[in-house]
Amino acid sequence: MTARPRAGWPMSFGARLRAGLLGAACCCALLPVMAQETPARKEFRVCQDPNNMPFSNVKGEGIENRIAELFGKTLGLPVVYYSFPQRLAFFRNTLRFKLPGQDYPCDIVMGVPVGLDEVSVTKPYYRSTYALVFPKGKGMDNVASAEDFLKLDPAKLKSLRIGIYDRSPASQWLNKHGLLEQGIPYKLMSADPAQYPGEIVEKDLAEGKLDAVVVWGPIAGFFARRVKNPALVVVPLKSEKGLRLDYQMAMGVRYGEREWKQQIEGLIESKAPEIQAILKEYGVPLVDASFGVPNN
């Protein structure tokens, strides 16, 4: 959750990588793809959303903050952040923002989906998927997969209030399985700067306003862990024919900065064990290619 939508992406980068879906990306002209000579870096400068846990916040508490600090330490550079809400024109106002006679305010976005064309995308460093989240003790304790959930008694399924972010793969999943009427849509974009994507889990689901939610995996895993009562179950969902739910996540740099991109990819490779440990610490549901869209 990651913008946010090109249909079918996890969190949006055109609407907002915050609500647990990747949607239409920013409508910005790409920079020319040409080699750019850059002076030696004195800082590891990160473009971030100031209120987008579990990914980033101004206190440096997110997954991407932790990985940025890991990279900065490895490179011997102090980490600095340039914060801007991940709504429309995020890249234009961060990674591509440059006033005459001044330098760019930041040089890397720590989490972008593979396939995004608004930035030069590195090799991926994790794969996750949308997940179903529900409380224990509410008649769904035997659910361990999408198939189990869909095999619940029809009367039970029709009684559920299932929270989703609108225009996301979650709404497509409900529609595909005849559960759209059970969906409780939440706005993809909010004008409230204090709003954050995990509210759907740790507030409305935990308080019983919803019976289940379907959101981007990192959001599901992180906020489900924060809720102690009731205990919440996280079930990763596999992509289906015609519906993609899993995504590989990478990092994004400016086009033309080949050496910088190669340096970042070297860090992704050499620090893979540490990165995986951070992801697991935050409860990210990590999946493999078997969660991808079936070939037939």
Side-chain angles (χ1 to χ4, degrees), residues 26-31 90-98 104-106 117-119 254-255:
C26 312
C27 300
C28 310
L30 296 178
L31 295 176
F90 174 72
F91 297 114
R92 186 177 66 196
N93 288 291
T94 56
L95 196 64
R96 298 180 186 163
F97 179 70
K98 185 176 181 180
Y104 293 102
C106 52
D117 59 8
E118 279 70 26
V119 296
R254 283 181 289 273
Y255 279 99

Side-chain angles (χ1 to χ4, degrees), residues 121-124 260-270:
V121 178
T122 68
K123 64 174 64 175
W260 176 234
K261 179 179 178 180
Q262 291 174 339
Q263 190 171 26
I264 296 301
E265 290 187 323
L267 289 169
I268 289 173
E269 184 174 347
S270 66

Side-chain angles (χ1 to χ4, degrees), residues 7-8 169 172-173 176 238-245 247 292-296:
Q172 297 172 41
W173 186 78
K176 182 174 182 178
K238 290 188 175 183
S239 294
E240 304 173 12
K241 188 174 182 180
L243 176 57
R244 184 176 180 183
L245 298 172
Y247 299 87
V293 178
N295 293 326
N296 49 43

Side-chain angles (χ1 to χ4, degrees), residues 52-57 59-69 81 126 128 216-226 234 274-286:
N52 190 24
M53 289 296 285
F55 306 102
S56 63
N57 67 7
K59 295 181 180 180
E61 297 171 326
I63 296 167
E64 295 170 6
N65 299 123
R66 290 277 300 278
I67 296 174
E69 296 294 335
Y81 296 96
Y126 76 95
S128 192
W216 176 227
I219 294 172
F222 178 76
F223 288 101
R225 283 191 175 189
R226 295 219 308 195
V234 177
E274 291 96 325
I275 292 172
Q276 293 298 301
I278 291 170
L279 294 167
K280 291 177 181 178
E281 179 183 336
Y282 281 76
V284 176
L286 299 174

Side-chain angles (χ1 to χ4, degrees), residues 172-229:
Q172 297 172 41
W173 186 78
L174 290 185
N175 184 52
K176 182 174 182 178
H177 296 290
L179 295 171
L180 200 56
E181 291 187 3
Q182 282 64 58
I184 307 297
Y186 285 67
K187 289 184 179 180
L188 190 63
M189 297 178 66
S190 171
D192 182 1
Q195 188 273 341
Y196 61 98
E199 288 179 336
I200 194 173
V201 176
E202 72 171 353
K203 290 187 177 180
D204 290 2
L205 180 62
E207 293 172 4
K209 296 177 182 178
L210 299 169
D211 302 302
V213 301
V214 180
V215 291
W216 176 227
I219 294 172
F222 178 76
F223 288 101
R225 283 191 175 189
R226 295 219 308 195
V227 175
K228 303 305 180 185
N229 187 27

